[in-house]
Amino acid sequence: MRDRMDNPLPIQHNEGKSLGKVLMVQGTASHVGKSVLVSALCRIFRQDGFRVAPFKAQNMSNNSYVTRDGGEIGRAQAVQAEAAGVEARVEMNPVLLKPEADHIAQVVRMGRPMVSAQVRDYFGLKSQLWESVHTSLDVLRRDFDIVVIEGAGSPAEINLKATEIVNMRVALYSGAPVLLCGDIDRGGVFASLVGTMELLEPEEREAVKAFVINKFRGDASLLTDGLTMLEERTGIPVAGVVHHFRDIHIPEEDSVALDIPVRGATALADTLLDVAVIQLPHISNFDDFDPLAREPGVGLRYVASAGGFGKPDLVILPGSKTTIPDLEWLEAQGLAEAVRQHQKAGGSIVGICGGYQMLGARLYDPEGIESTRPEMEGLGILPLTTVFAGTKETHRIRGMVAEGSGLLSGAMGETVTGYEIHMGRTTGEGVGLPFRIEDRTDVPVTPASAYDGAMDETGRVLGTYIHGLFHNGMVRRSILRELARLKEVALPEAEQDGVIDAEFDKLADWVRASLDMDLIYAMTGLDRNFDRAGA
């Protein structure tokens, strides 16, 4: 602690008038709705004709995404970029921390793995990482009219403030006006907002220009006295109260979202297909399965114990940041045996990335890339071997379905897009090859890399390295139709693809109606009436 406080990073300022405008969303805690609010503001500014980009200096998440040039960033920033209508770039999230175990995380800098570091070692990297942070922000401000910045956690973590690179240091460097967001659904929102302000330094308090009360339920008039007292006590206006919503669906950033026991069909009678995702301790890219939860008749649940396994129609083994330790956990919980028995009974299984590796016969980690254990038996469901190597594969891909049996019946020839993020190399014989890769955006496709994944002879067990598989509507619905056929049920008609763009518009409308947008625009200095077409 003393070493960190004795060597604070200097506060820098760069408010160059030639750079684009900035607006920052910070929160009183994690999971108060910062990511969603940034997505909404990105879409609002886009709707109003501005070139807008998201930015988060440092993200801690195993939910990641691959940019067109093969860089890895937080999935939340990719979602925000989609809301802004722009291509995701590594500058939007220059530092990504991917937890591997307690006190250890892989540090991804500018889209590439830098080192796996313990918490204490990480503080020694802050100067290098800060250089990437402020340089990336400057690059985005040169390319866009406005950059909407997301903070992390709380700016009032006084034990971390000396070397933080994601909250007030970013705001003060860029001269960003700060919207401080509190979650009223948790309770104590007024104490959280006032307490945060009390713990800030004078220069930091000056940066906070407005409050946002998020996730409110009920009659907003009941808040009037509290809002008035908050404004009188702090001298800071409340920009708005955003009501809790249930019918707007955009990907969640935090694994806190997995605490919701069942998603999708809201009543037992509505659940025609039961999809169980194994909730691994180091689960990654859990938003891979969001499209399943939006399908009518499909109940999506996350399972962390053998007692909760039940009798699912489809078991999904998701991605994992640390495959071998998570496979050990799977065995210890009795879930590995539950998955094996499910397969032996003719059940259907899909393994994505780390889950694909677990389906195999054996996993090797001779260099200690993901574990201290050099080898381990897999679930033995597919005749595959995985060897972990030091080079991470991160690619955007486009391909097609190359097998038309089992879960992919009716999907032969359908287009598949997605992305790969993995350290392991998986090989095997005597399996079907479900996907043919036609394009990797950053590297050539070779004969050795032209196919992805594996299927058993029944077609009911499928493994792949492709994240985003279920975001491909025709493939997703083909899998669900086959599951429905096996169960002899009829699924309702599904919505058309492209729904996510409409969801961003719904979110923007919801937030626009909740916030004082005149105040927001005044904070940014953007001219709402500027004729960009004629500029």
Side-chain angles (χ1 to χ4, degrees):
M1 172 74 73
R2 183 165 297 279
D3 288 342
R4 297 200 293 273
M5 299 304 288
D6 286 346
N7 296 282
L9 292 173
I11 295 294
Q12 295 175 279
H13 299 267
N14 181 13
E15 301 178 38
K17 293 184 179 180
S18 62
L19 299 177
K21 305 297 185 181
V22 281
L23 175 66
M24 190 167 192
V25 177
Q26 296 190 27
T28 58
S30 295
H31 204 62
V32 300
K34 297 186 295 292
S35 296
V36 173
L37 188 55
V38 169
S39 293
L41 289 167
C42 282
R43 178 51 65 106
I44 288 170
F45 288 127
R46 177 195 177 190
Q47 289 174 337
D48 290 352
F50 292 98
R51 295 173 300 144
V52 56
F55 177 80
K56 186 168 186 174
Q58 174 187 289
N59 201 345
M60 178 174 281
S61 177
N62 280 329
N63 224 25
S64 60
Y65 180 77
V66 177
T67 62
R68 183 171 292 278
D69 60 357
E72 189 176 5
I73 65 172
R75 183 75 176 98
Q77 280 62 65
V79 171
Q80 291 161 357
E82 191 172 2
V86 297
E87 185 73 34
R89 298 162 49 169
V90 294
E91 289 90 355
M92 294 173 181
N93 178 210
V95 180
L96 174 63
L97 306 180
K98 305 192 73 175
E100 297 179 334
D102 290 344
H103 312 301
I104 300 176
Q106 182 184 68
V107 181
V108 179
R109 179 189 185 193
M110 299 305 293
R112 303 296 176 187
M114 182 182 182
V115 67
S116 286
Q118 295 190 10
V119 173
R120 291 183 178 274
D121 299 329
Y122 171 67
F123 287 97
L125 303 173
K126 286 294 186 76
S127 294
Q128 298 177 61
L129 299 177
W130 172 245
E131 181 70 23
S132 298
V133 167
H134 72 75
T135 299
S136 294
L137 181 53
D138 289 346
V139 167
L140 291 176
R141 293 183 69 185
R142 284 194 290 268
D143 291 346
F144 294 91
D145 298 321
I146 182 169
V147 178
V148 184
I149 306 169
E150 179 184 345
S154 163
E157 303 290 352
I158 56 177
N159 58 314
L160 303 175
K161 282 180 65 174
T163 56
E164 69 90 8
I165 59 172
V166 66
N167 285 313
M168 281 300 174
R169 190 174 306 278
V170 174
L172 296 178
Y173 172 79
S174 61
V178 174
L179 283 172
L180 184 60
C181 180
D183 177 0
I184 196 170
D185 197 41
R186 293 182 169 190
V189 70
F190 296 110
S192 297
L193 290 167
V194 173
T196 297
M197 296 299 293
E198 288 294 324
L199 289 172
L200 298 179
E201 299 298 326
E203 187 179 20
E204 297 169 339
R205 284 197 292 271
E206 181 63 26
V208 179
K209 302 301 183 184
F211 297 131
V212 174
I213 308 293
N214 201 16
K215 305 183 186 180
F216 179 72
R217 304 169 191 259
D219 183 354
S221 66
L222 298 176
L223 283 178
T224 302
D225 290 346
L227 300 181
T228 300
M229 292 175 65
L230 177 64
E231 292 180 335
E232 289 175 348
R233 183 182 182 98
T234 63
I236 295 172
V238 175
V241 176
V242 180
H243 284 250
H244 190 278
F245 58 78
R246 293 184 179 276
D247 60 345
I248 302 174
H249 306 284
I250 63 172
E252 296 272 8
E253 175 191 17
D254 295 324
S255 57
V256 176
L258 302 185
D259 293 342
I260 302 171
V262 180
R263 304 168 119 189
T266 55
L268 185 62
D270 296 331
T271 303
L272 300 173
L273 293 179
D274 176 20
V275 178
V277 181
I278 305 300
Q279 190 170 340
L280 302 171
H282 300 98
I283 188 172
S284 67
N285 297 76
F286 52 82
D287 67 311
D288 277 348
F289 317 116
D290 286 354
L292 291 170
R294 294 196 294 267
E295 288 281 348
V298 176
L300 183 75
R301 57 192 176 92
Y302 287 83
V303 177
S305 68
F309 189 82
K311 296 182 178 180
D313 300 300
L314 173 66
V315 172
I316 297 177
L317 290 167
S320 166
K321 182 65 187 71
T322 51
T323 303
I324 288 179
D326 278 3
L327 183 55
E328 291 177 322
W329 174 88
L330 200 71
E331 293 282 5
Q333 297 298 313
L335 279 166
E337 185 58 27
V339 172
R340 292 188 187 101
Q341 292 302 318
H342 173 79
Q343 183 265 335
K344 288 177 182 177
S348 299
I349 303 172
V350 173
I352 306 289
C353 199
Y356 169 37
Q357 295 166 344
M358 291 179 187
L359 288 172
R362 204 154 193 87
L363 298 89
Y364 295 92
D365 192 3
E367 299 176 34
I369 301 299
E370 291 199 357
S371 170
T372 57
R373 185 168 178 170
E375 63 179 275
M376 184 176 180
E377 289 186 3
L379 295 174
I381 293 174
L382 291 173
L384 305 171
T385 297
T386 295
V387 179
F388 293 98
T391 302
K392 179 180 281 191
E393 298 288 339
T394 55
H395 313 290
R396 292 258 289 274
I397 67 96
R398 179 179 57 79
M400 60 174 290
V401 176
E403 290 275 354
S405 63
L407 292 176
L408 296 178
S409 295
M412 184 74 173
E414 294 292 347
T415 297
V416 175
T417 62
Y419 51 100
E420 303 169 334
I421 309 173
H422 57 94
M423 305 289 283
R425 310 296 189 272
T426 300
T427 57
E429 295 182 354
V431 293
L433 301 176
F435 304 109
R436 189 172 76 219
I437 307 302
E438 298 173 333
D439 179 52
R440 286 185 171 88
T441 54
D442 59 314
V443 295
V445 176
T446 66
S449 65
Y451 285 88
D452 170 87
M455 291 181 71
D456 72 351
E457 61 183 7
T458 70
R460 294 184 186 176
V461 178
L462 165 67
T464 177
Y465 275 120
I466 301 174
H467 288 292
L469 177 69
F470 292 108
H471 285 74
N472 294 276
M474 295 300 294
V475 175
R476 178 179 71 251
R477 285 190 283 274
S478 290
I479 292 174
L480 294 176
R481 279 196 295 267
E482 175 63 11
L483 293 171
R485 185 191 69 80
L486 292 170
K487 196 175 182 180
E488 298 182 341
V489 297
L491 287 176
E493 284 296 316
E495 294 181 3
Q496 295 297 313
D497 284 337
V499 67
I500 187 64
D501 204 57
E503 296 298 313
F504 285 131
D505 285 336
K506 286 166 60 179
L507 176 65
D509 292 344
W510 186 269
V511 172
R512 190 192 289 270
S514 303
L515 297 184
D516 181 347
M517 289 307 300
D518 289 335
L519 174 60
I520 301 296
Y521 269 99
M523 288 167 54
T524 66
L526 284 175
D527 182 359
R528 299 177 79 171
N529 299 313
F530 178 65
D531 182 5
R532 283 160 295 282

